[in-house]
Every structure is written in C-alpha cells, then in structure tokens.
Amino acid sequence: MKTLQELTRKNIWSLAPYSCARNEFSGRNASVYLDANENPYNAPFNRYPDPLQLELKSKISAVKGVPAENIFLGNGSDEAIDLMYRCFTEPQTDNVVAIEPTYGMYRVCADINNVEYRTVCLEEGFQLNADKLLAATDEHTKLIWLCSPNNPTGNALNRDEINKIIAAFDGLVVIDEAYSDFSSQRPFRSELLSHPNIVILNTMSKAWGCAALRLGMAFASKDIIEILNKVKYPYNINLLAQQKALDILNDPYEIDKWVRLILQERSRVMEAFTLLPITKKIYPTDANFFLVEVTDAQSTYDYLVSKGIIVRNRNRVTMCGNCLRVTIGTKTENAELLAALRAL
C-alpha cells in the first residue's frame, strides 16, 4: 500500500480544518454556552449538535464491533462516497476502478469531482474477477469500488477475489456493505484492523429501517477517519438524526426480527415469481431485493405503475436487459405485487 500521504490529495493533507465552537472545549465540563452565537431559548434545538457524534459512535461501536475511533458518520453513505473522491483523488489526474453493474453514485460522484471512472464488467453470475479489475488500474488509480452484496444484482461478491484485490492493490479498496445484514457472508468490517487499505461503507437505511434519517457510516483506519473528519462539514449529522439513531440502536433485537421477516418473505416472493409466465430468470440474492429478468421489463413496469405499484426498472443497466429490481416489502405489499402480476 502507498503511504496515506501519497494517497491523499495534497491540498487536503495540508488543510487546516474549520474549528467549530463545540470542538474547542471538547472534553471539558460546561454549563453556560456563550461561544457559538446560538439563541439561548428553545432547548435543546437551539444548540449545535455534537460535530463528531461521540455518543452515537460509541453505541454503533458496541453494535457493529468496530472501535469508535474507526467510525465516520455521514449524511447518508453518499456523503462518505463523495468525501473519498474529495480527499483521495486529484481531479483530471487520478482515476478509480469499479465493477459494472453496481451502485450508480460511485460514477456520479466521480463525474462531479472530475475524476476518470473506469469499469470492469462482472462475469457470469455477476461475479468478480480480481485479475481483470487489477489490470484496469495504473499508477494514478487511487480507489477501487466494490459493492457486496451488490446493487442492483443482489449477490455477494466472491470473498477470495476481494481478498486478492485487497492484497495486490496499493490504493484504497472501498467495500460497500449496505446490504450485509441480509447476507450470511461475514462482513469485511470484522477484518478492518487487519487491512489498513480498506474502507467499509454501511448505512442505517436498509436493515435498520431509517432511510429518512440519512445516516451513513464509513469504517476505516483511524488515520483515514481523521482525514474524512477534516473535510466534512462541521455539523453534518443533525441532532434529531443522532437522537433517533440512538433510540433505534438501543433495540437491535427488533432489527433482527425485521431482517428475519424480510428474508422469509424474500424466499416466498421469489418462489412465487418462478411460477409467473413473464419470468425468464431470477438471480440469486443476498440482499433485501432480487433481480428478475422478464419478457418485457418496460411494459411490466408500466403496468405495475398503473396499479400503483413501483419496482425499479433496470432494463438500461449494463448486463441487466429486461430486468426488474424488486424490493421485499411487507407481506401485504408483496401480496399486492404478486396479485397484480398474476392478473397481467
């Protein structure tokens, strides 16, 4: 692996971060706050939130098994994705390599940051070929993007191939594990301290049922986390989001119940899809959704919209011709979907 200084954008490495009022007295007790030009009325919403979300990180650490100092919290995983470009890639000079198809924000953030985005198509069964991915890199490749379980394909990527990339690549390997709670594969965050060049993304949006909070996580070495914190906006996670996340994290057993119900429904819905005349192929999945090839994705999508049922049309995505991505809902919602398709 290159040194972190070599990987970091030069102006970011030397950046003096904004010092917010709440950072300057960190670690000391206080009862009178006259430092941040806040309104003294309407507590607690008159006060700026903890800029480093220390209480929330402590709770996440206990649940996820990752030390608090190795956790970055962002306004959705998308903030962490964007910061990886802003911190570690030089516009018009560096490039990144990603699998294809995969989550679209990796490319969008590359375009926003004016960084070349190289893709390597997955192989049969939407599986990863480490040698082909590594062959697409050069001395200006700073990041490799992997999503496992992958979106929109749903499958977990081959662990041995991921390990081969981690061992061979001298930049940073970002593994997006947004859907890992639905997978039986061991998450890579459990190996974080063994691999200083990996960054693991996670989210409260999927298994934790908190998409509206916009709370994403990045797990990485302490040094990488410090760089991300240096560049993020001072109060990027608002107080309401922090409080609600703490409430949800206090009951992980409820989340386990949700995951079990979703997995049960996933099996039932996928089995029902095998009996539909429109179904050509159902792809294996490790997520809370599945990808299905149908006879005519656009007409099926349009028909479902007319019935007030929305799935995702992935027909124009590489390797996903005539495919729909179906998220698992409640038993009632899934029954409505299946009834509509049986009447098609």
Side-chain angles (χ1 to χ4, degrees):
M1 177 183 171
K2 294 177 181 176
T3 66
L4 196 55
Q5 184 171 357
E6 290 176 299
L7 291 171
T8 305
R9 194 187 294 184
K10 289 182 175 61
N11 67 304
I12 299 300
W13 185 262
S14 58
L15 176 70
Y18 174 75
S19 179
C20 64
R22 292 297 178 260
N23 275 337
E24 292 177 358
F25 76 91
S26 180
R28 303 172 188 170
N29 292 323
S31 58
V32 178
Y33 297 99
L34 304 175
D35 58 338
N37 302 335
E38 298 156 324
N39 188 319
Y41 306 108
N42 195 37
F45 307 112
N46 59 325
R47 301 299 181 189
Y48 288 109
D50 176 3
L52 293 177
Q53 311 97 28
L54 296 179
E55 183 182 3
L56 180 53
K57 286 178 180 175
S58 177
K59 178 62 71 172
I60 291 172
S61 173
V63 171
K64 296 288 187 179
V66 175
E69 66 182 13
N70 298 105
I71 300 173
F72 169 84
L73 299 182
N75 187 354
S77 296
D78 293 340
E79 181 180 6
I81 292 168
D82 183 57
L83 283 176
M84 291 302 297
Y85 285 99
R86 293 167 62 194
C87 293
F88 301 110
T89 62
E90 193 69 48
Q92 297 184 299
T93 300
D94 292 329
N95 66 75
V96 303
V97 174
I99 57 175
E100 180 77 8
T102 196
Y103 181 45
M105 280 303 294
Y106 311 144
R107 181 188 290 273
V108 169
C109 288
D111 292 343
I112 291 171
N113 287 279
N114 203 13
V115 172
E116 181 188 356
Y117 184 84
R118 300 179 177 180
T119 61
V120 176
C121 282
L122 294 171
E123 302 204 321
E124 185 178 354
F126 296 124
Q127 267 306 335
L128 177 66
N129 184 309
D131 292 334
K132 288 183 179 179
L133 208 71
L134 291 166
T137 67
D138 61 24
E139 67 273 17
H140 292 293
T141 306
K142 291 292 189 64
L143 309 173
I144 288 179
W145 293 99
L146 301 174
C147 186
S148 182
N150 190 28
N151 178 12
T153 62
N155 62 299
L157 300 178
N158 184 288
R159 194 177 196 87
D160 291 338
E161 295 296 292
I162 295 177
N163 280 322
K164 187 185 296 186
I165 291 168
I166 293 171
F169 183 53
D170 61 5
L172 299 177
V173 181
V174 188
I175 307 172
D176 191 339
E177 294 189 332
Y179 302 95
S180 60
D181 293 291
F182 303 101
S183 174
S184 60
Q185 187 177 98
R186 187 174 74 258
F188 269 91
R189 71 171 184 270
S190 64
E191 302 178 18
L192 183 69
L193 301 183
S194 302
H195 302 295
N197 66 325
I198 66 173
V199 177
I200 308 299
L201 301 183
N202 210 256
T203 180
M204 294 285 288
S205 295
K206 309 305 179 185
W208 292 83
C210 289
L213 294 189
R214 306 310 306 129
L215 186 62
M217 310 166 217
F219 307 130
S221 72
K222 181 181 176 182
D223 293 337
I224 291 175
I225 297 300
E226 287 178 351
I227 291 172
L228 296 177
N229 282 332
K230 185 160 69 167
V231 177
K232 77 172 184 69
Y233 291 121
Y235 304 107
N236 61 327
I237 309 298
N238 69 67
L239 177 64
L240 294 174
Q242 292 189 45
Q243 290 178 336
K244 185 60 179 178
L246 283 167
D247 290 342
I248 292 290
L249 287 161
N250 279 329
D251 193 5
Y253 298 108
E254 180 72 6
I255 309 309
D256 290 342
K257 184 180 78 174
W258 292 349
V259 170
R260 287 196 303 271
L261 289 172
I262 289 169
L263 294 180
Q264 289 170 8
E265 278 296 286
R266 188 183 73 185
S267 297
R268 186 180 72 84
V269 174
M270 290 176 70
E271 183 176 355
F273 258 77
T274 63
L275 304 177
L276 295 173
I278 62 167
T279 299
K280 295 184 68 176
K281 182 173 184 177
I282 301 174
Y283 291 93
T285 182
D286 297 275
N288 66 328
F289 63 86
F290 63 95
L291 191 71
V292 55
E293 182 184 356
V294 296
T295 51
D296 189 331
Q298 188 62 55
S299 66
T300 304
Y301 174 81
D302 292 340
Y303 165 76
L304 289 173
V305 169
S306 74
K307 299 294 184 180
I309 300 169
I310 310 300
V311 296
R312 197 75 191 270
N313 187 357
R314 301 284 76 189
N315 182 47
R316 296 183 181 179
V317 173
T318 303
M319 300 177 68
C320 296
N322 272 327
C323 283
L324 301 175
R325 193 189 69 193
V326 180
T327 304
I328 302 302
T330 65
K331 192 167 186 175
T332 300
E333 291 171 330
N334 299 332
E336 288 186 34
L337 168 66
L338 293 170
L341 290 174
R342 287 167 180 147
L344 179 61

